[in-house]
Amino acid sequence: YLEVLAAHHTDLQEILDRCNRLDCNRGLDGQFAVLSLARLQSGVRSVTYGGAGEGMIIVSRTGELKQKVASSGMPFGLVNDLGYEPPERVVLDPGDVLLLLTDGFREALNPDGELFHEHRIVETIAANPGASASELFKALWRAARKFADGHHQHDDMTGIVARVLDY
C-alpha cells in the first residue's frame, strides 16, 4: 500500500490515514503494523515526521536529547478511520542525529527486568560523537544486547539512523 500511496500523495497524514483504512479492511483481527514516515528537506535542513505507533528521537551534536517527536496515532489495523495527527516538522542543525527505532531497543530487558529505555539510547549516541550513522546503529544494537546480558530478545530491533551533515 505504502509504495502506491507515496507515489500518488505527498501529504504524510493522508498516507497514514489511507494505509490504516486499507489495513483495517483486510480483516486480520488482532494484527497490527507500525510505520514511520519521514520527509527530509535538505535545502531547508528539516524533517517532517509522521508515525503509526512509533515516534522519532533527535539527538543534538552535543549528545543532548534535542526533541522527541510523538507518533501521529496508533499502529495500523486497530481502529478503522482513526484519523492521524498532522505530521510534525522539525528544523535540524548540523550534527543532529535522527533515530527512527522500533520499540525493541527501548524495551530490551536485562536479567533484572529493567528496560534499556530511551535515556540509554541517547547516552549511546552521545558516547559516539564522531561516528557515522551506520556506526551509530551498530553501537546502539551492541549496547542494547550488552545491557540485556544474554536475556532473551522479545522483539525486533530495527531502525534508521541519520546524521545531519555540515554543508
Side-chain angles (χ1 to χ4, degrees):
Y1 307 136
L2 181 60
E3 186 176 352
V4 171
L5 288 169
H8 293 88
H9 301 280
T10 58
D11 184 292
L12 299 183
Q13 183 179 11
E14 183 176 359
I15 292 170
L16 289 169
D17 286 336
R18 287 177 183 240
C19 274
N20 182 57
R21 278 196 301 278
L22 289 165
D23 200 46
C24 283
N25 291 334
R26 291 181 12 190
L28 302 173
D29 291 336
Q31 293 187 9
F32 64 91
V34 297
L35 177 72
S36 293
L37 293 175
R39 177 182 299 119
L40 293 168
Q41 294 174 280
S42 61
V44 292
R45 199 181 272 139
S46 72
V47 62
T48 303
Y49 179 81
E54 291 291 347
M56 178 177 64
I57 302 169
I58 302 173
V59 179
S60 73
R61 173 190 297 267
T62 60
E64 304 290 324
L65 175 64
K66 178 177 179 172
Q67 189 165 351
K68 292 187 330 185
V69 182
S71 172
S72 301
M74 295 186 338
F76 293 150
L78 296 175
V79 178
N80 203 350
D81 294 322
L82 172 67
Y84 288 86
E85 294 294 319
E88 188 170 340
R89 182 176 174 269
V90 179
V91 175
L92 302 169
D93 295 308
D96 284 352
V97 175
L98 286 66
L99 301 158
L100 291 81
L101 305 170
T102 59
D103 59 359
F105 281 96
R106 290 183 308 281
E107 296 174 3
L109 288 172
N110 70 11
D112 296 329
E114 186 181 5
L115 295 172
F116 187 66
H117 214 277
E118 195 170 272
H119 72 277
R120 288 187 181 86
I121 292 170
V122 174
E123 288 170 4
T124 302
I125 299 302
N128 294 277
S132 70
S134 176
E135 292 166 339
L136 289 173
F137 183 82
K138 290 173 188 171
L140 283 170
W141 188 87
R142 283 192 304 270
R145 296 309 305 145
K146 181 178 180 181
F147 174 82
D149 193 27
H151 195 267
H152 178 71
Q153 183 176 327
H154 296 285
D155 204 350
D156 70 292
M157 292 169 55
T158 306
I160 296 172
V161 177
R163 181 183 290 279
V164 179
L165 301 176
D166 296 327
Y167 62 91

